[in-house]
Amino acid sequence: MEVRNALIVDDEAHIRELIEITLQSMRVECQGAENLQQARALLKRQAFDFCITDMRLPDGSGLELVAHIQKRYPNLPVAVITAHGNVESAVEALKLGAFDFVSKPFELSVLRNLVSTALKAAGSGQSGAAERPGQPLLLGRSPAMESVRRLIHKLARSQAPILISGESVTGKELAARLIHASGPRADRPFVPVNCGAIPEHLMESEFFGYKKGSFTGATQDKIGLFQAAQGGTLFLDEVADLPQHMQVKLLRAIQERAVRPIGQQNEMPIDVRILSATHKDLGQLVEQGQFRQDLYYRLNVIELRMPSLRERPEDIAELADHILGRIARQPGLPAPSLSAAALQALRRYPFPGNIRELENILERACTLAEGEEIQAEDLLLPESAAPGNAPPPAAAAPSAAPPHPEGKPLSPTEAGLENYLEELEREAIMKALEATRYNKTAAAERLGISFRALRYRLKKLGID
């Protein structure tokens, strides 16, 4: 087993000694420095695989060392030791490029996990995400996507929380999977969760788990999503849909790096990287009082924005080829190519539904095309959408009671409350689908729900 080298920067000798003893069992040799000057001298003299520094040093701040390392030794992971509860300093260090942080007094198991992950990151070297086999495929060579790809490569080696923003169906989960698969946690679980699809009364048990007998129906222990992602990544999709009480509990879990299952007295430590995504403007929700500001700043240490399809029309040809190749593998569907006119029409279309709408358009065109080439008229693009401009958002479809056989609306007492509500939901969904020519993404936006929530309701109501 290879011996690794670590630089420990702290003015307290007993802290340096404790860290050194802890890392000896991991075959890590430590060099100690009392201040910034000594640390810089050691960095110049020899190569290190990892660095951990206290935030407060006699001749400056640990943040200065983080900035120095990022500038001169960008491939060296550096973690900071912060005072307990000083989240602001930790977030600032992560923004400057720190790999991770640990708060005093720290548990040795937490320190070992941090160092183990950092050494994996250091061992990954300069290999990019595209060089590793079996990873998620991020299509597109436009300047916008190349910028996204470069940022993902940088973010993969850090442990900073990342907020992935962008319109619906722009590839936010794909980006999260690529960040996970390109980083030191790639061999550990990636656990995605749609925050808008979990019933509010089940959220705490889903996130944190519960102990047998903690409430009626708890016939056995259940691990939560945090425990399921132990050592890996927890991806919070549609994080803006979290209710206020769960925002408080999530913030504590992230800050304390510990969770307490329902019915358990003590907290249990967790080692999880948090990635989150939303198509909503979280900053605006904070101003409106619908999302906690402290949680927003904790999740949004670094923001990764996924561009919409209309921002990268030069990628449409590659995306269309990929989609048509997938359609060709479906029985009963031909695999025609796009004519020059059809490709030009797609490049002019604004795609309010992004990638999902492109998939729907091409699947429909494959069915309608008579030859081996898809013509522009086979695409059936909405004529009301002016080239290069997205159509104005449609007003939400009004909910109406389902018709009674005699022309009168059913009442809850006639149909039963559950059936009555389902019929109301069915009619609202059908109206939205009809108004958007059965574009599910556009229908979900019209209804004010996420695409996944719509897909769940379609399945529940048996709507094909």
Side-chain angles (χ1 to χ4, degrees):
M1 184 177 177
E2 183 184 359
V3 176
R4 315 298 286 274
N5 295 311
L7 173 61
I8 313 301
V9 187
D10 198 302
D11 61 334
E12 297 183 58
H14 70 279
I15 294 291
R16 297 198 305 272
E17 184 178 356
L18 173 64
I19 295 175
E20 183 175 354
I21 293 173
T22 303
L23 301 188
Q24 279 179 349
S25 61
M26 302 175 66
R27 294 183 63 82
V28 176
E29 292 186 356
C30 298
Q31 292 283 332
E34 296 181 4
N35 51 45
L36 285 175
Q37 184 179 358
Q38 289 183 14
R40 288 170 178 154
L42 284 170
L43 285 167
K44 190 181 294 186
R45 191 181 311 153
Q46 71 176 90
F48 291 97
D49 299 297
F50 172 68
C51 173
I52 184 167
T53 176
D54 193 12
M55 187 66 75
R56 300 179 63 180
L57 298 170
D59 55 349
S61 166
L63 296 178
E64 296 178 55
L65 184 59
V66 172
H68 176 78
I69 289 175
Q70 277 296 298
K71 183 178 180 180
R72 302 198 178 190
Y73 314 95
N75 295 317
L76 174 62
V78 53
V80 296
I81 303 173
T82 67
H84 179 70
N86 193 353
V87 179
E88 293 79 10
S89 296
V91 169
E92 184 63 27
L94 293 172
K95 287 183 176 179
L96 284 173
F99 171 81
D100 208 342
F101 72 94
V102 61
S103 298
K104 292 180 180 178
F106 51 82
E107 294 187 16
L108 298 184
S109 60
V110 173
L111 179 64
R112 291 191 191 97
N113 287 336
L114 185 150
V115 174
S116 177
T117 306
L119 293 178
K120 287 182 183 178
S124 65
Q126 296 285 346
S127 60
E131 299 173 2
R132 298 186 182 183
Q135 289 196 355
L137 187 61
L138 196 62
L139 296 175
R141 295 293 168 184
S142 62
M145 290 308 293
E146 289 293 357
S147 177
V148 166
R149 201 173 278 107
R150 286 193 299 270
L151 185 53
I152 284 176
H153 175 54
K154 290 181 180 179
L155 299 179
R157 301 182 71 247
S158 167
Q159 296 304 294
I162 297 168
L163 177 64
I164 307 173
S165 62
E167 297 177 9
S168 296
V169 205
T170 50
K172 295 189 289 294
E173 181 171 340
L174 180 62
R177 289 183 179 275
L178 191 54
I179 291 170
H180 169 79
S182 306
R185 296 178 181 267
D187 59 342
R188 305 299 296 166
F190 176 88
V191 179
V193 51
N194 186 336
C195 299
I198 303 176
E200 189 170 334
H201 66 283
L202 295 179
M203 275 196 169
E204 187 172 356
S205 61
E206 285 295 312
F207 274 98
F208 308 132
Y210 55 78
K211 304 298 291 182
K212 178 181 178 181
S214 56
F215 54 85
T216 304
T219 56
Q220 59 184 10
D221 291 353
K222 180 185 186 303
I223 66 168
L225 294 165
F226 273 93
Q227 296 98 311
Q230 181 70 6
T233 302
L234 180 61
F235 175 54
L236 305 174
D237 198 6
E238 300 301 344
V239 70
D241 293 340
L242 281 173
Q244 288 280 345
H245 78 279
M246 273 307 299
Q247 292 178 29
V248 177
K249 295 178 183 295
L250 177 62
L251 176 64
R252 176 174 174 78
I254 294 174
Q255 289 185 170
E256 300 299 326
R257 300 191 180 193
V259 297
R260 185 170 66 86
I262 297 174
Q264 183 168 305
Q265 296 300 317
N266 57 311
E267 291 186 330
M268 54 190 303
I270 51 168
D271 174 29
V272 170
R273 186 182 189 183
I274 301 292
L275 305 179
S276 54
T278 179
H279 71 279
K280 299 179 180 179
D281 186 340
L282 272 190
Q284 185 177 0
L285 293 179
V286 169
E287 291 179 2
Q288 296 170 354
Q290 298 178 36
F291 200 85
R292 290 183 63 95
Q293 187 178 52
D294 45 8
L295 178 59
Y296 170 67
Y297 288 124
R298 196 67 187 85
L299 295 175
N300 191 23
V301 173
I302 303 173
E303 183 173 359
L304 170 64
R305 181 182 174 275
M306 297 300 292
S308 63
L309 192 51
R310 62 181 169 275
E311 296 176 69
R312 52 186 187 111
E314 56 266 61
D315 290 334
I316 288 178
E318 182 181 353
L319 290 166
D321 285 344
H322 178 77
I323 294 168
L324 290 172
R326 190 173 67 228
I327 291 173
R329 295 193 292 270
Q330 298 179 16
L333 283 177
S337 58
L338 287 171
S339 68
L343 179 57
Q344 191 64 23
L346 288 174
R347 283 176 171 165
R348 289 196 304 265
Y349 182 63
F351 287 101
N354 289 299
I355 307 293
R356 187 62 47 77
E357 186 176 10
L358 176 61
E359 292 175 342
N360 292 345
I361 288 171
L362 292 177
E363 286 190 15
R364 181 175 64 218
C366 283
T367 305
L368 298 176
E370 296 183 358
E372 294 184 356
E373 193 174 59
I374 295 175
Q375 304 301 322
E377 55 268 23
D378 298 326
L379 299 173
L380 295 182
L381 296 177
E383 296 178 2
S384 58
N389 293 305
S399 296
H404 190 276
E406 299 176 359
K408 298 178 182 178
L410 286 170
S411 69
T413 53
E414 289 177 305
L417 182 59
E418 196 68 31
N419 292 335
Y420 176 75
L421 293 175
E422 283 190 2
E423 286 304 320
L424 287 177
E425 189 175 19
R426 183 190 304 276
E427 180 156 341
I429 289 174
M430 290 305 299
K431 282 187 176 183
L433 287 170
E434 289 168 4
T436 57
R437 295 190 178 190
Y438 295 92
N439 183 314
K440 294 178 184 176
T441 301
E445 292 181 356
R446 187 182 182 92
L447 292 165
I449 60 178
S450 67
F451 175 80
R452 289 188 178 183
L454 175 61
R455 189 168 60 182
Y456 168 77
R457 285 172 167 83
L458 290 174
K459 183 177 180 181
K460 182 185 76 170
L461 297 172
I463 299 175
D464 187 1

